[in-house]
Amino acid sequence: MKFRLKWLAAVAFAATFPAQADTFDARVTVNASQPGAIIDPNIYGQFVEHLGRGVYEGVWVGPDSPIPNTRGIRNDVVKALRAIKIPLIRWPGGCFAETYHWRDGIGPRGERPRGVNTAWGDEVESNHFGTHEFMDLVEQIGAKPFISVNLASGSPAEAQAWMQYMTGPASSGAGQERARNGRSEPWKVPFIGIGNETWGCGGNMTAEFYSDIYRQYASVLQPYGMLIASDANSDDYAWNEIFLKRALYRHAPDHGTTLAYIAKQQQIGMVSVHFYTFAGNDWGKKSPAIGFGETDWARAMERTWKTDEMVARHSALLDRHDPAGKVGISFSEWGAWWATDKDRPSNLYQANTLRDAVIAGLTLNIFQNHAARVRMANLAQMVNVLQSLVLTRGGEMLLTPTYHVFDLYQGHQGAKLLPSRVEAAAYSVDTTTVPSISVSASRRADGVITLTLVNLDAKRDAKVRIDLQGVVVGKASGRVVTAKAMDAQPAFGKPDPLAPSPLQQVQVRGGAVSLTAPAKSVLVLEMQ
Ligand code: AHR
């Protein structure tokens, strides 16, 4: 049985166990005897787009740069991403993918055409970072590629030729061309995105039109990798409903009408969802990245919690069409989107603070708790754009608070989800009321239980008691990311105020674990 937070229970608990004004009590129950779905490592995936300094400077500096690099890719960024086992990178966009012609990005770099990035600020695109450079990046990191093909200005033939170029045997014509450009051995492309935001920058399509286009692309791309459909925009459930019916059922009318059958034929591996966090729900009114108040904090938490409802409802839709559970959800773009730099708005560069860490912890807990369907996710974006893992300034690099959360969550990768339940008073500011505590727990093959807990409350520490059913815990230790200020942030060349620190005073007594989760914190606990 799956436990979920229950509001009534939470309120009742608060009434029964009064806490001091600056603290509140939380009780967490984890059932270790009912392991569920495996938490797919791909939910810790990333997204890199030709946008601002996301590619150029962020990962690509060129082989002649004084910034230490390997074949043009910066060493500091690769080292940082390897350390947290980044599993997957989506590229080349985003909206950029919808104007990208892959042939512009192969061959001698000096001879590649210089284009204009019409999706992002009309900046000149050198095309120096293309297919070979991206595949080198994923190989250096030890990750897998997720390639988004161009639907808005491309064609199935162009997308198919790209896949043949990347995956064809060395003896094929496409493989020989690849070898002439420096790579004889074929690459693997495990994931192929059929378009990006096809309801918007990816062609302004209706769900009906996209479904037909999808079928056309799927029929030529199906031999090359798992196919991932363009997203439903956030809570646009009707989009996925239409897509699942029209794109897929009609595809195989004579062979059976179940989605499971179609998934088996590899015509659909995942449907996708894109959803960004603001403080509130108004795309046009974004909160500043720093210097915001508690109302903005709470409204950002409320918006992030919507991810849970969104995943649950997209999952319910799939449950109806695909009871066998073959088709997954790829949350292909997620993260915080704050007010952008006035001088270079199209760069989407923003500071990354403790608020971003808490948003990351909450979002990853939600994905993990829906592991049966959520099989991939991509933070937008990996470097220097929106809610990044690392930021660069010329030759300098820093790890963001979001990076530290991905670090804390590593123990969940490939582990089995354990059902968990929280009872705690809600967190309220002005007219915003949200659950104050989010948890997710899993068990690894070696028996270690990892529990990640987020205290969203900006002011009050939580006195947490964790009861484990079906296992006797002998020892527990943890790490925490927190700070005094809501907008605490790291600075280049200075000690990191948000680096994870050991969790103090974790007590194990009678099989239960007690600890204090500081206000506005993300923590991990390892128990065995
Ligand atoms: O991540 C930035 C942009 O957000 C992407 O290009 C687009 O897909 C989304 O709207």
Side-chain angles (χ1 to χ4, degrees):
M1 174 186 147
K2 185 165 181 177
F3 294 116
R4 308 294 309 281
L5 184 138
K6 292 189 179 70
W7 278 101
L8 285 177
V11 172
F13 182 81
T16 324
F17 298 88
Q20 291 165 11
D22 55 351
T23 65
F24 64 102
D25 293 308
R27 181 169 290 171
V28 174
T29 310
V30 176
N31 191 337
S33 58
Q34 290 185 336
I38 289 181
I39 297 175
D40 197 317
N42 289 336
I43 71 170
Y44 309 94
Q46 300 300 311
F47 172 32
V48 166
E49 180 169 12
H50 292 237
L51 193 181
R53 292 184 294 117
V55 167
Y56 299 107
E57 184 187 309
V59 293
W60 177 258
V61 289
D64 301 328
S65 170
I67 299 171
N69 69 84
T70 301
R71 295 180 294 279
I73 295 166
R74 49 191 301 165
N75 294 344
D76 51 359
V77 171
V78 167
K79 187 174 169 215
L81 298 172
R82 281 189 76 88
I84 55 170
K85 298 199 194 78
I86 289 308
L88 173 94
I89 305 176
R90 176 173 181 251
W91 175 83
C95 297
F96 178 80
E98 297 300 355
T99 57
Y100 186 64
H101 298 292
W102 66 273
R103 282 204 158 276
D104 293 346
I106 59 168
R109 278 191 284 275
E111 294 171 20
R112 295 184 193 172
R114 290 171 71 77
V116 174
N117 186 343
T118 50
W120 298 106
D122 288 337
E123 304 220 0
V124 171
E125 166 60 53
S126 69
N127 280 310
H128 283 188
F129 189 85
T131 301
H132 289 252
E133 291 78 13
F134 172 68
M135 292 306 233
D136 194 9
L137 170 71
V138 292
E139 285 183 343
Q140 287 189 33
I141 292 173
K144 297 178 287 294
F146 168 6
I147 301 284
S148 279
V149 302
N150 174 346
L151 260 65
S153 68
S155 68
E158 184 186 16
Q160 184 190 31
W162 196 6
M163 294 306 142
Q164 287 169 340
Y165 180 84
M166 286 189 277
T167 66
S171 53
S172 65
Q176 285 168 342
E177 184 183 11
R178 186 185 64 235
R180 283 196 297 279
N181 288 329
R183 171 81 181 204
S184 163
E185 194 195 333
W187 288 295
K188 286 198 169 62
V189 181
F191 302 108
I192 305 168
I194 302 193
N196 165 72
E197 299 195 353
T198 47
W199 46 268
C201 66
N204 284 318
M205 299 178 192
T206 60
E208 288 82 358
F209 185 74
Y210 173 66
S211 305
D212 294 347
I213 296 277
Y214 179 91
R215 288 162 50 187
Q216 186 185 13
Y217 273 76
S219 66
V220 296
L221 297 181
Q222 172 267 328
Y224 302 99
M226 179 182 277
L227 304 182
I228 298 172
S230 156
D231 65 301
N233 184 9
S234 312
D235 55 0
D236 188 352
Y237 306 109
W239 175 282
N240 267 349
E241 179 82 55
I242 292 167
F243 173 74
L244 291 170
K245 277 192 188 141
R246 186 171 173 120
L248 302 172
Y249 285 91
R250 283 185 54 202
H251 200 94
D254 301 326
H255 304 286
T257 51
T258 66
L259 192 49
Y261 169 83
I262 289 153
K264 208 166 139 213
Q265 303 308 303
Q266 295 181 326
Q267 288 152 5
I268 176 76
M270 298 188 222
V271 293
S272 58
V273 182
H274 290 187
F275 179 62
Y276 285 94
T277 290
F278 324 124
N281 298 312
D282 187 344
W283 182 272
K285 267 198 206 158
K286 305 229 179 62
S287 171
I290 52 173
F292 49 84
E294 195 179 348
T295 302
D296 268 14
W297 169 282
R299 296 185 75 209
M301 299 305 145
E302 183 182 37
R303 170 107 179 157
T304 309
W305 266 118
K306 283 184 192 293
T307 310
D308 192 52
E309 180 192 326
M310 224 167 281
V311 173
R313 290 189 59 184
H314 282 293
S315 298
L317 228 153
L318 281 169
D319 289 348
R320 261 195 297 118
H321 291 277
D322 171 35
K326 299 271 185 209
V327 178
I329 293 175
S330 164
F331 222 96
S332 306
E333 287 183 30
W334 70 272
W337 193 319
W338 309 126
T340 42
D341 176 353
K342 285 196 186 60
D343 300 329
R344 305 292 291 273
S346 62
N347 277 10
L348 305 187
Y349 179 85
Q350 62 193 35
N352 200 292
T353 71
L354 178 58
R355 180 171 62 170
D356 296 83
V358 171
I359 288 167
L362 173 55
T363 305
L364 292 175
N365 276 354
I366 291 168
F367 292 159
Q368 290 157 192
N369 290 342
H370 290 278
R373 281 290 180 191
V374 180
R375 302 188 191 147
M376 179 192 286
N378 304 86
L379 174 72
Q381 300 189 2
M382 189 167 82
V383 187
N384 289 338
V385 175
L386 301 175
Q387 187 173 351
S388 308
L389 293 180
V390 300
L391 299 176
T392 66
R393 186 176 67 181
E396 297 176 284
M397 186 201 76
L398 62 75
L399 307 176
T400 66
T402 301
Y403 176 96
H404 296 314
V405 171
F406 275 72
D407 179 12
L408 295 190
Y409 278 56
Q410 284 190 67
H412 285 305
Q413 290 201 16
K416 282 192 176 159
L417 179 71
L418 298 178
S420 57
R421 180 182 65 194
V422 178
E423 296 161 278
Y427 168 50
S428 290
V429 177
D430 305 331
T431 54
T432 305
T433 298
V434 291
S436 54
I437 298 284
S438 151
V439 294
S440 182
S442 68
R443 188 175 201 162
R444 295 202 308 248
D446 63 5
V448 173
I449 294 175
T450 303
L451 182 137
T452 44
L453 185 149
V454 183
N455 180 3
L456 283 69
D457 195 308
K459 291 204 196 84
R460 297 178 304 160
D461 295 352
K463 301 277 178 204
V464 183
R465 178 190 157 104
I466 302 162
D467 290 306
L468 289 120
Q469 298 171 344
V471 69
V472 178
V473 171
K475 56 180 182 175
S477 63
R479 291 188 296 155
V480 62
V481 172
T482 191
K484 280 216 167 66
M486 291 183 291
D487 63 351
Q489 60 168 322
F492 289 101
K494 301 246 171 75
D496 184 352
L498 288 129
S501 55
L503 196 57
Q504 303 298 325
Q505 295 176 338
V506 178
Q507 292 177 347
V508 183
R509 236 183 256 136
V513 181
S514 305
L515 56 89
T516 297
K520 45 185 167 15
S521 68
V522 182
L523 65 86
V524 63
L525 197 62
E526 286 202 341
M527 299 173 277
Q528 45 195 313

